[in-house]
Amino acid sequence: MGIFLKKELNKGTTVGMWIIEESVTELQGSIILTNEDSKIFFSFSSDQRKKEWLSTRLLLKSICGPDIRITRDNFNKPSLDGSNNKISISHSIKYVAIIINDTDETGIDIQLMSNKIESIKNKFLSSEELLSIDGQNRIEHLHISWGVKEALYKVYGRKELSFKNDIYIPPFTVFNQGELYAKITKKGFETSYKLHYEKHDEYMLVYVMNT
């Protein structure tokens, strides 16, 4: 299917999503890889990982043009080679999602929702956050919370950030899509962020709106 969603947000921000329905061969035939990219591509052993990697490049090509390449720093944070634009990437089973911001560090997360998240909620939510879980939309609430913390972890970009202790989400009400605020507080770094979430079938997409 290819591009499922592409929209422009405020502050020069673009969000894109790709549904992976093609085979590895079909995806590979739609893009020309450099020698360096080919080495990376052929290092993957699973077809799923190859599909995610190729779909990400095709989605990026549709947003930024064919000559932009993704590089990674020492913390594995992605950046765009030769560009000051900021990028964040996420993938889950059949979806790939990208967010690009002209100036600000950004973050995005997409996850297939599952009851299994109940088993790890105490690892990423504080006691205060656990008390505010929406009982009627429990699984959605947990996945939105996880997505918020994952997106902000990517914004911070320097590892050593505790989901449970360093990122705080005030109480919020769950809808099919909505906005909320969350804060990173870490060793003198204290910033609030506005985030957007939206449900796509059994998947939850969360991304940063601004700083």
Side-chain angles (χ1 to χ4, degrees):
M1 180 176 180
I3 296 174
F4 171 71
L5 172 71
K6 182 179 176 182
K7 60 182 177 180
E8 302 289 331
L9 306 178
N10 59 342
K11 294 187 67 180
T13 304
T14 302
V15 172
M17 290 175 63
W18 183 289
I19 293 184
I20 306 174
E21 294 181 341
E22 306 87 347
S23 66
V24 173
T25 301
E26 288 170 332
L27 290 168
Q28 197 175 355
S30 300
I31 191 169
I32 298 173
L33 300 179
T34 65
N35 289 337
E36 186 174 348
D37 282 341
S38 293
K39 290 179 183 177
I40 296 171
F41 171 72
F42 286 110
S43 71
F44 302 129
S45 58
S46 75
D47 280 356
Q48 178 63 25
R49 185 67 188 94
K50 289 178 179 178
K51 289 178 183 180
E52 292 168 350
W53 192 89
L54 289 169
S55 297
T56 300
R57 270 72 194 166
L58 287 167
L59 181 55
L60 179 64
K61 177 182 174 182
S62 76
I63 296 173
C64 297
D67 299 325
I68 295 293
R69 294 186 63 253
I70 298 170
T71 58
R72 293 185 178 269
D73 65 14
N74 293 335
F75 298 106
N76 203 37
K77 183 178 176 66
S79 61
L80 298 175
D81 192 27
S83 172
N84 291 324
N85 290 357
K86 311 302 181 183
I87 185 172
S88 181
I89 302 165
S90 185
H91 42 75
S92 181
I93 315 300
K94 72 174 185 178
Y95 281 113
V96 167
I98 286 178
I99 187 168
I100 298 173
N101 188 294
D102 287 352
T103 56
D104 298 329
E105 296 293 348
T106 191
I108 195 166
D109 183 67
I110 188 162
Q111 291 290 329
L112 174 64
M113 290 187 288
S114 165
N115 291 337
K116 292 179 180 179
I117 198 169
E118 286 276 10
S119 65
I120 63 168
K121 63 181 183 294
N122 293 308
K123 295 182 179 180
F124 70 90
L125 293 179
S126 67
S127 56
E128 184 177 351
E129 290 167 331
L130 286 168
L131 289 173
S132 70
I133 292 173
D134 183 339
Q136 294 191 358
N137 300 283
R138 191 173 182 85
I139 299 304
E140 288 85 353
H141 192 124
L142 289 171
H143 278 280
I144 293 167
S145 298
W146 173 268
V148 166
K149 298 205 174 193
E150 180 69 27
L152 294 187
Y153 182 85
K154 293 175 179 178
V155 169
Y156 189 74
R158 283 163 278 175
K159 309 292 186 183
E160 297 181 359
L161 190 70
S162 167
F163 278 28
K164 184 172 183 175
N165 300 316
D166 300 330
I167 305 173
Y168 172 67
I169 307 171
F172 64 94
T173 302
V174 174
F175 300 100
N176 283 334
Q177 61 177 320
E179 295 175 357
L180 54 83
Y181 288 86
K183 179 185 288 187
I184 298 175
T185 305
K186 176 71 172 180
K187 296 179 181 176
F189 181 97
E190 184 169 327
T191 307
S192 293
Y193 298 85
K194 182 180 180 181
L195 298 102
H196 176 86
Y197 67 86
E198 55 191 71
K199 185 178 177 182
H200 292 277
D201 297 324
E202 299 304 313
Y203 289 78
M204 188 63 72
L205 174 71
V206 183
Y207 54 82
V208 175
M209 295 286 289
N210 63 4
T211 56

